[in-house]
Amino acid sequence: MIIRLKGIEKKYGNVQAVKPIDLTIEENFVTILGQSGCGKTTLLKMLAGLTEPTAGEIFFDDQLIFSKTKGINVKPNKREIAMVFQDFGLWPHMTVFENVAFGLRGKVSKAKRTNIVHEALKKVKLETKAAMRPGELSGGQQQRVALARAIAINPKLILFDEALSALDAVLREEMREEILTIVQSIGSQAIFVTHDQTEAMAMSDSMIIMDTGEVVQTGSPETIYHTPANPFVANFIGKTNWIKDKEMMIRPEHVHLYPDSDTTYRTGVIQKSMYEGDRYVIFVETDGQIWKFYDQHPHEKGASITFYMKENTIHSLIKQEAY
């Protein structure tokens, strides 16, 4: 499905939560990434029909589902979407089976509903938990129930609102792999809101970066990481070393300890080494700034060091624009 937003915005009184956006979304798995309060959840809820835009139009393929000027606002249950919330949104008095079946009421026969629910629970590996209630499940299992409920209605689009933020780090990584696998297996499109850069980079076909109500850059994870449009994106996605007062930047992995062809160099003093499991992040003070690079071994604090970088790995932000 191709989703098109034309001039979509949201105001709450005098507060501009989302500034006018023109955007086309057509990739299978898209993340909306930004800091808290940047407008990403508001944008997601406008797509879902849970928040009415102040102005603009939204198209799902050729269907106009919202237009302020034309008075069109298709109801959420008519948009062929499902939503997975941060707090799971499960009914505590219902069994797992009843929670998953809830969205199917009145749409399919009881017999067919039973088959659909069992199939959805099988996909999320919870077929043995159908008779239990949410309070008897772990956080990860509750998240799987929420996902099963979403896929049971066979949506064209699944919207995830910070869906993994309530889980611990190990479970988050496990669930992101499962979500990707399940979404791909049912052929749905997904838009995933998060403030976690690692999560967004790992899951996305395409990313939408937001800052203070604006879309500041869109593109593949690789494009955004290697060619950020502005200093905010560069700092928000990964670690950054700045050259010439944030006019140019280089990522730590492109800083080396040995010269090569077409390299430039800098000298500095080691400030600290930080262990990350598979490598160390080395912090160096050079020209009054702290630079970072990676090595397999720690370096002694206070030691002098010379490091090198290739010109073609330095990215210029001059005249870069969001796209």
Side-chain angles (χ1 to χ4, degrees):
M1 179 166 66
I2 299 175
I3 301 166
R4 288 180 291 138
L5 286 71
K6 295 185 176 181
I8 282 294
E9 63 176 301
K10 181 62 182 178
K11 292 181 181 178
Y12 294 100
N14 294 324
V15 177
Q16 184 94 46
V18 175
K19 298 172 185 177
I21 290 174
D22 292 305
L23 187 65
T24 299
I25 302 170
E26 51 187 317
E27 294 82 3
N28 288 331
F29 205 107
V30 177
T31 54
I32 304 176
L33 178 67
Q35 296 173 326
S36 296
C38 72
K40 56 188 185 295
T41 293
T42 301
L43 177 57
L44 194 77
K45 288 183 175 180
M46 288 192 286
L47 288 170
L50 301 177
T51 295
E52 182 176 331
T54 305
E57 294 182 333
I58 302 174
F59 290 84
F60 285 0
D61 286 329
D62 294 326
Q63 181 187 5
L64 180 61
I65 65 163
F66 176 83
S67 173
K68 190 70 174 180
T69 57
K70 296 177 182 177
I72 296 172
N73 190 6
V74 175
K75 292 180 180 180
N77 63 347
K78 300 294 184 182
R79 296 190 181 195
E80 296 186 85
I81 62 171
M83 194 157 182
V84 180
F85 296 94
Q86 179 179 349
D87 62 357
F88 312 141
L90 304 177
W91 299 101
H93 64 285
M94 292 182 179
T95 65
V96 167
F97 182 96
E98 291 166 340
N99 267 281
V100 176
F102 188 80
L104 296 169
R105 291 180 177 180
K107 295 181 179 179
V108 297
S109 67
K110 186 175 180 179
K112 191 172 182 181
R113 187 161 68 236
T114 298
N115 290 335
I116 292 172
V117 172
H118 282 309
E119 187 62 30
L121 289 175
K122 185 178 179 180
K123 278 186 166 62
V124 300
K125 304 174 185 176
L126 284 180
E127 58 266 42
T128 63
K129 308 291 185 182
M132 298 177 71
R133 285 183 166 78
E136 301 174 276
L137 305 178
S138 68
Q141 289 171 333
Q142 291 182 49
Q143 183 59 272
R144 287 183 173 90
V145 176
L147 181 56
R149 183 179 57 190
I151 65 177
I153 63 172
N154 193 29
K156 287 185 177 179
L157 175 66
I158 305 178
L159 305 176
F160 295 86
D161 183 19
E162 299 278 8
L164 302 181
S165 61
L167 307 179
D168 62 55
V170 174
L171 197 51
R172 283 176 74 121
E173 186 169 349
E174 180 182 322
M175 280 304 301
R176 38 179 211 238
E177 293 173 3
E178 289 195 20
I179 286 172
L180 278 172
T181 299
I182 291 168
V183 169
Q184 290 168 358
S185 71
I186 64 175
S188 288
Q189 196 172 4
I191 299 178
F192 193 101
V193 159
T194 182
H195 63 271
D196 187 307
Q197 300 95 322
T198 302
E199 201 164 82
M201 297 282 284
M203 299 180 78
S204 306
D205 296 317
S206 179
M207 296 166 63
I208 298 168
I209 312 298
M210 293 189 68
D211 182 30
T212 59
E214 291 186 278
V215 172
V216 293
Q217 189 170 3
T218 65
S220 69
E222 295 85 354
T223 296
I224 289 176
Y225 181 79
H226 291 295
T227 57
N230 58 35
F232 168 79
V233 177
N235 280 327
F236 194 59
I237 305 295
K239 296 179 176 67
T240 305
N241 297 312
W242 289 105
I243 305 170
K244 292 186 178 179
D245 194 27
K246 296 192 176 182
E247 291 182 356
M248 295 187 288
M249 52 80 70
I250 186 169
R251 298 295 188 185
E253 62 268 26
H254 295 308
V255 176
H256 303 287
L257 297 181
Y258 303 100
D260 199 350
S261 58
D262 191 31
T263 56
T264 183
Y265 73 92
R266 286 193 171 200
T267 59
V269 177
I270 302 294
Q271 297 300 303
K272 63 179 177 180
S273 301
M274 185 180 295
Y275 186 53
E276 287 195 339
D278 60 339
R279 63 189 179 184
Y280 288 84
V281 183
I282 315 299
F283 294 77
V284 183
E285 183 177 358
T286 176
D287 297 331
Q289 299 181 40
I290 298 296
W291 274 47
K292 298 170 283 289
F293 68 91
Y294 301 122
D295 202 357
Q296 296 302 309
H297 308 284
H299 290 246
E300 183 180 354
K301 182 178 179 180
S304 296
I305 191 169
T306 300
F307 54 90
Y308 303 85
M309 66 207 89
K310 287 193 172 186
E311 295 286 351
N312 63 4
T313 60
I314 297 173
H315 173 60
S316 174
L317 279 82
I318 300 172
K319 296 182 180 181
Q320 289 288 319
E321 298 178 355
Y323 57 96

